[in-house]
Amino acid sequence: MTIPTADRRSGAVDRGLWFTPFEPLSFLRGSHGQTLAGNYWRRPPFQIPVHAQDVIVDAADGSRVLCHCHWQPEQVRTSRLTLVIVHGLEGSSDSRYVQGITARAWSEGCNIIRMNMRNCGGTETWTPTLYHSGLSNDVNAVLHHFVDAYQLQRVAAIGYSMGGNLVLKLAGELGNQAPPWLIAAVGVSPAADLAFSADALHEPSNRFYEWHFLRNLMRRFRRKTSLFPDIYTAQDIGPIRSIREFDDRITARFSGFTGADDYYSQSSAARVVAQIAIPTLVLHALDDPFIRMTPGTRSLLMANPFVDFVETTHGGHCAFLARTVAPPDLHGHSDRHWAEATLVRYLLAIAGNHEQVHGS
């Protein structure tokens, strides 16, 4: 079957090929219900052959990240669509949504690269630096590493939450200079407006999430102080009671920013989304409890002809648990996890007739 593809000049792709409206589970219409259930909803066992590989992402200090790769047979590997998946804040390549996309896309014949951000996936000893929302070049380094190593012809980048910000930021920074093999980008619940989302986490109704992130971030920071005492000290940090305080006193201080506001301003994808020039899908729920998208960012996304912006009433944060009406496919995948099913269909639609995009 020949599938029409996106025209790289316009980013348009027929929604009839990939889009189905999101209908939330009737008993999970609330933002917190969706968000929490999405994190714990039972999935089939994750059993796909995996090869781990480390990638240098910062030649200046030798920082490396750990990627878990799932390759299709060697004779078709270079021509198959390859997905690079980037997790969210305090997640890893083993996050459940990462595994869900992997299983679904693998069964469709894609190569998969599950990327850990710096320090994540048990790699605190691999880099003297912290990880943060501005390190879009780390994603770029991973993309180029595998394209060069395996002569990959078609690659797409997918990011969730903080990873979504990194992917959208990279796409915007590349603009119309994006390499021809980078055929698409996807951001699910992307933290594209970092300052507004950090402040939303401090709202009383979201303190549970904020404390969860802070507990893990502080545990990781204490680990870095023990590993690299010449770089990090906790003596004058003081009590940290919010994500904004963490970013102001720790992220900004040790990552070259003047403060939280400077960090948020320089690292938010919102600053560059108007420059995105490859087909890009953005999925965002209006009831996401702590990811806030400003009207200005929303307008920029909707005005960009390369961006398919899908905003649902319900869905929570990175959840999108749907009411399923069709039975699972031959590989056992249903549309229960609507975002995962949607983004895979979107990318397959774009990749389906790729030769037309590049004139080969």
Side-chain angles (χ1 to χ4, degrees), residues 54-70:
D54 61 301
V55 179
I56 294 176
V57 294
D58 193 334
D61 59 25
S63 294
R64 294 173 293 152
V65 299
L66 176 63
C67 297
H68 290 97
C69 311
H70 308 266

Side-chain angles (χ1 to χ4, degrees), residues 16-339:
L17 299 172
W18 58 272
F19 180 74
T20 58
F22 175 64
E23 297 183 32
L25 281 167
S26 58
F27 60 92
L28 283 178
R29 290 184 178 274
S31 61
H32 298 298
Q34 277 276 338
T35 300
L36 295 173
N39 190 54
Y40 297 107
W41 196 274
R42 186 176 180 180
R43 296 172 180 268
F46 185 66
Q47 297 174 333
I48 302 176
V50 61
H51 168 70
Q53 187 170 348
D54 61 301
V55 179
I56 294 176
V57 294
D58 193 334
D61 59 25
S63 294
R64 294 173 293 152
V65 299
L66 176 63
C67 297
H68 290 97
C69 311
H70 308 266
W71 298 113
Q72 297 294 333
E74 187 172 357
Q75 61 270 28
V76 298
R77 182 176 301 163
T78 61
S79 62
R80 294 294 178 86
L81 175 63
T82 300
L83 309 185
V84 175
I85 310 173
V86 191
H87 60 82
L89 180 65
E90 285 304 287
S92 75
S93 61
D94 288 328
S95 293
R96 294 167 69 85
Y97 50 83
V98 175
Q99 293 186 350
I101 298 169
T102 299
R104 186 181 296 271
W106 170 262
S107 69
E108 295 287 353
C110 299
N111 303 311
I112 312 294
I113 299 166
R114 295 184 286 133
M115 173 187 168
N116 286 286
M117 297 184 201
R118 299 185 186 199
N119 295 297
C120 298
T123 61
E124 286 93 346
T125 62
W126 289 27
T127 171
T129 61
L130 302 176
Y131 81 110
H132 61 76
S133 292
L135 293 171
S136 50
N137 198 51
D138 284 8
V139 182
N140 199 31
V142 168
L143 292 171
H144 279 274
H145 171 85
F146 287 104
V147 168
D148 293 343
Y150 295 96
Q151 291 76 54
L152 303 174
Q153 298 172 10
R154 298 178 293 171
V155 183
I158 303 165
Y160 268 60
S161 195
M162 175 180 169
N165 180 71
L166 290 174
V167 167
L168 296 182
K169 181 172 178 283
L170 175 62
E173 290 166 340
L174 292 173
N176 58 18
Q177 300 301 311
W181 43 259
L182 183 58
I183 67 169
V186 177
V188 180
S189 303
D193 288 299
L194 290 169
F196 293 91
S197 296
D199 292 340
L201 267 170
H202 199 57
E203 295 173 359
S205 61
N206 290 326
R207 290 288 281 162
F208 168 82
Y209 306 110
E210 185 172 50
W211 279 115
H212 168 76
F213 289 132
L214 278 177
R215 183 171 59 250
N216 292 329
L217 286 166
M218 290 303 300
R219 183 186 299 122
R220 191 183 300 278
F221 178 67
R222 286 190 290 269
R223 170 75 167 146
K224 296 296 284 190
T225 63
S226 66
L227 289 169
F228 302 97
D230 294 338
I231 299 175
Y232 303 103
T233 177
Q235 292 181 349
D236 56 348
I237 296 297
I240 302 291
R241 300 186 180 90
S242 69
I243 291 293
R244 179 176 276 275
E245 287 184 351
F246 180 91
D247 287 335
D248 193 59
R249 301 180 192 174
I250 295 177
T251 304
R253 174 179 175 181
F254 295 107
S255 301
F257 303 98
T258 61
D261 287 335
D262 181 46
Y263 163 53
Y264 294 149
S265 175
Q266 292 195 47
S267 302
S268 291
R271 186 171 54 86
V272 294
V273 292
Q275 302 168 28
I276 292 174
I278 58 172
T280 297
L281 174 65
V282 177
L283 302 177
H284 173 68
L286 283 168
D287 70 350
D288 190 312
F290 51 83
I291 294 298
R292 298 288 190 267
M293 186 172 291
T294 67
T297 300
R298 182 179 287 105
S299 296
L300 291 173
L301 290 169
M302 295 179 68
N304 189 325
F306 289 93
V307 176
D308 250 304
F309 180 60
V310 179
E311 191 168 58
T312 62
T313 303
H314 303 288
H317 181 64
C318 295
F320 299 98
L321 289 174
R323 179 178 69 88
T324 60
V325 294
D329 62 21
L330 295 176
H331 305 288
H333 304 305
S334 72
D335 282 1
R336 176 74 72 205
H337 293 90
W338 175 85

